Amino acid sequence: MSMRRTAAAAAFVFLSGSAFAAQAPSPSADSSAALKAAPAYCPPVVETFLPGEYYFCIGSQAFAKGDTLAAKARMQDAARWASKPAQYILGLMYLNGDTGERDPAKGVAWLAISAERHDVAYERAFLAEFAKLNPEQRKQANAYWRDLKKDYTDDVAGRRAERRFTAGMKDMRDADFAGNDVFLDGISPPQGGEAGTYEGGGGNHGSRVGGGQRAFAFIRKMDKMHDDYFHGMVGHVTVGEVTYGGTVGELASAPSH
């Protein structure tokens, strides 16, 4: 089974009918089979809090439809918000030549970015593909990696995404403090009556809105998504400190934590 044929599998799952979370793409020898579970709908409201989640969802939909150019564009949007699955998929797209541009050095550079949190699957993929590069390609990969670092590593993209999440959640936390309900387009609350609909997936869908959703219930779900999304990030409260060297070559030999 080739690492290069890994595709964006089930990108999002709905949690209690109210939110969704990104999952790491799973290896598959058949890309089309892996993409059958691509999400039918990506709630736009999530872009307010975790844009990397939202754009990865949209990119996965595009990939499933065979629109690789749109998929690449949305994955790059997600990557800019520190989505490690998106950065991983971009690496595979360059390795595979999915948009007509096969560039192993650039693919390995993206895999290196995706592996900076020492996720086992991403790290294994990076090391395997790095080992296949010749000396000139490794030199190119180093140059690409240094350029990508300016906008896509956790020091930049991760901090950007955390600031976005904090700002987006401010109103929710204020509502929780006041004991208020919240109404979020496209996200069903975990409880309530059948009164109400939301716009999503091309039309109105029963949302069980009723009297709305308690702010604290939404906050709990979003905080869980936040912890999953930023898991392994250097300086994040849930992990210890991990550092990489300055080149792809040093990155390959960095110890796992």
Side-chain angles (χ1 to χ4, degrees), residues 10-23 37 39 53 57 225:
F12 289 84
V13 293
F14 285 97
L15 302 176
S16 301
S18 63
F20 54 88
Q23 295 179 329
E53 292 274 299
C57 181
M225 288 176 65

Side-chain angles (χ1 to χ4, degrees), residues 130-139:
F130 175 82
K132 299 174 186 177
L133 299 183
N134 61 41
E136 181 58 31
Q137 288 173 322
R138 292 187 181 189
K139 182 178 178 181

